[in-house]
Amino acid sequence: MRTIDWVDGAVELVDQTLLPDKCVMLRIHTVDDLVDAIRRLAVRGAPALGVAGALGVVLAGGDPGRIARLRAARPTAVNLAWGVDQVAAHLPDGRDAVLAAALRVRDADIAACRSMGERGADLLNGDRLRIMTVCNTGGLAAVERGTALGVVQTLHERGRLAEVLALETRPLLQGARLTTWELARMGAPHRLIADSAGPYLLARGEVDAVLIGADRIAANGDTANKIGSYALALGAERAGVPFVVVAPESTIDRNTPSGEQIAIEDRDEDEILAIRGMRVAPEGTRAVNPAFDVTPHDLITAIVTDQRVIRP
C-alpha cells in the first residue's frame, strides 16, 4: 500500500486521521482540498509532504496563488516547499513535464526510504536490538517503508530486531495510532509507552538505540522533529545510547544555519485540551501546543540520509 500516489488524474492518499479504526483512501482533485488534508494531518510526515507538494503542483495547473498556498500549508517541514519547488521549475515546459517531474519525486522517495533503511541498519551494532522511536516515521510518513521506521523494518527483515518501544506521541497520538498499526502490519514485536516514560526507560538500560525522523535539519545538523524528541536526546546522551536521525537529503535545509532559525509550528490549543474529540481539561483552560522541538547537533550520534551517514 502506498500512502500517497497519483492515480487516474488525482492525488490518492490515506486519511491518517481515521487510523487505526479504518483505512480510507481520499481522492484529491484540487489544491484547496490538498491543503486541507495537509493542515488537518490527513497526510503528514516530511517525505510524504514532499510528494504531496510535488503532486499538488500538477493539481494547481500553473496558478501561482494556488502554488504559493500549497507551499506555505505547514511551515516547519521543509520537504513540502522543496517538493513544490522541484516541480514548479518545470511549469514552463507544460503539464506533461510537470507531471513527469512530480512522479520522479515520488519514485525518488521510494528509493530513498529503502536506502535509508539499509544504511541505518548497517550503522547499528547488535543482533537483537531494542529500538525506541517517537511519532510515526514509517510508510505512512512517506510513500513506502519510511525513514526511522524503515530502518526498523530492515532490522526486522534481517532478524536483528528484538523490540520497538513506541512513544504514544501526544497530543495527536501518532505513535499510538499509526506506529503501532504499522509495526503490527509488519509483524514486528513492539510495546507502547507514555511519552514521559521514554527517558526513564533509557536510564534503566532497556534501549539500544533511539531512532527519529526529521521535519527540517539545519545546515549545522540541528534537527526539528516531533515534540518530545529533545527529551529523548537528553535521556539518550545521559544513558550512553545512540541517538540517530533518519531523513532524506531533501530534509537538510542548507539555507537555515542552525536550529535557532527554524520556524516551529504552534498548532490549535484544542489538540491539547481534548483527545480524539473528548475534552479532558476544564472549560476556560488555555494550552501551549508547539508541534515540534529542536535537538542540537551535539546530542545527535548520526544523521542517516539516502546518500550518506553524517556525524554532526
Side-chain angles (χ1 to χ4, degrees):
M1 181 187 71
R2 289 184 174 179
T3 295
I4 182 169
D5 207 352
W6 182 262
V7 180
D8 297 331
V11 176
E12 282 196 354
L13 56 88
V14 176
D15 186 344
Q16 298 185 42
T17 65
L18 302 178
L19 289 170
D21 301 321
K22 52 186 176 180
C23 185
V24 174
M25 299 296 295
L26 299 177
R27 281 187 61 81
I28 305 291
H29 296 274
T30 69
V31 169
D32 285 345
D33 286 344
L34 184 57
V35 168
D36 176 69
I38 291 169
R39 288 179 174 165
R40 67 184 183 85
L41 306 184
V43 59
R44 42 143 300 277
L49 289 175
V51 176
L55 297 175
V57 175
V58 184
L59 296 179
D63 184 280
R66 292 175 185 153
I67 292 171
R69 194 159 62 252
L70 172 65
R71 194 179 188 279
R74 293 196 71 190
T76 303
V78 70
N79 293 67
L80 175 59
W82 174 85
V84 170
D85 294 345
Q86 291 292 304
V87 176
H90 295 272
L91 286 169
D93 303 322
R95 186 180 186 280
D96 288 346
V98 169
L99 177 58
L103 296 180
R104 286 196 297 273
V105 171
R106 177 202 63 189
D107 294 344
D109 182 71
I110 294 170
C113 286
R114 185 164 291 277
S115 176
M116 284 183 286
E118 293 171 353
R119 289 180 190 276
D122 290 344
L123 175 70
L124 298 175
N125 297 318
D127 292 329
R128 298 293 295 164
L129 292 169
R130 302 164 299 171
I131 303 297
M132 181 175 286
T133 190
V134 63
C135 197
N136 171 259
T137 57
L140 290 170
V143 181
E144 297 175 357
R145 294 184 75 89
T147 57
L149 216 61
V151 176
V152 167
Q153 184 170 346
T154 302
L155 289 170
H156 180 54
E157 291 166 351
R158 294 180 181 181
R160 296 178 54 209
L161 179 69
E163 182 182 43
V164 178
L165 291 174
L167 271 67
E168 60 182 348
T169 319
R170 282 282 289 140
L172 296 180
L173 302 173
Q174 293 98 326
R177 296 188 302 106
L178 307 180
T179 296
T180 56
W181 186 78
E182 289 200 278
L183 289 168
R185 282 169 61 90
M186 72 173 75
H190 61 279
R191 287 184 289 173
L192 184 67
I193 63 173
D195 291 356
S196 52
Y200 178 60
L201 293 176
L202 283 161
R204 282 198 340 198
E206 298 190 20
V207 181
D208 297 308
V210 178
L211 299 179
I212 71 164
D215 287 85
R216 188 183 297 254
I217 301 172
N220 71 340
D222 293 349
T223 295
N225 192 54
K226 179 57 59 181
I227 193 75
S229 301
Y230 180 43
L232 292 184
L234 292 171
E237 183 189 46
R238 181 65 179 264
V241 170
F243 184 88
V244 179
V245 174
V246 186
E249 286 279 327
S250 55
T251 305
I252 300 175
D253 180 7
R254 292 173 178 83
N255 295 320
T256 299
S258 71
E260 294 179 355
Q261 287 81 41
I262 296 176
I264 298 299
E265 177 183 0
D266 287 303
R267 292 183 59 83
D268 196 304
E269 294 181 33
D270 285 343
E271 292 179 352
I272 296 288
L273 302 173
I275 297 177
R276 306 198 77 183
M278 180 177 294
R279 191 171 182 87
V280 294
E283 291 292 338
T285 302
R286 300 295 307 275
V288 179
N289 187 17
F292 306 93
D293 56 28
V294 177
T295 298
H297 63 276
D298 57 354
L299 294 178
I300 297 171
T301 306
I303 298 172
V304 176
T305 81
D306 50 307
Q307 299 180 26
R308 54 188 170 152
V309 174
I310 306 165
R311 297 187 183 273

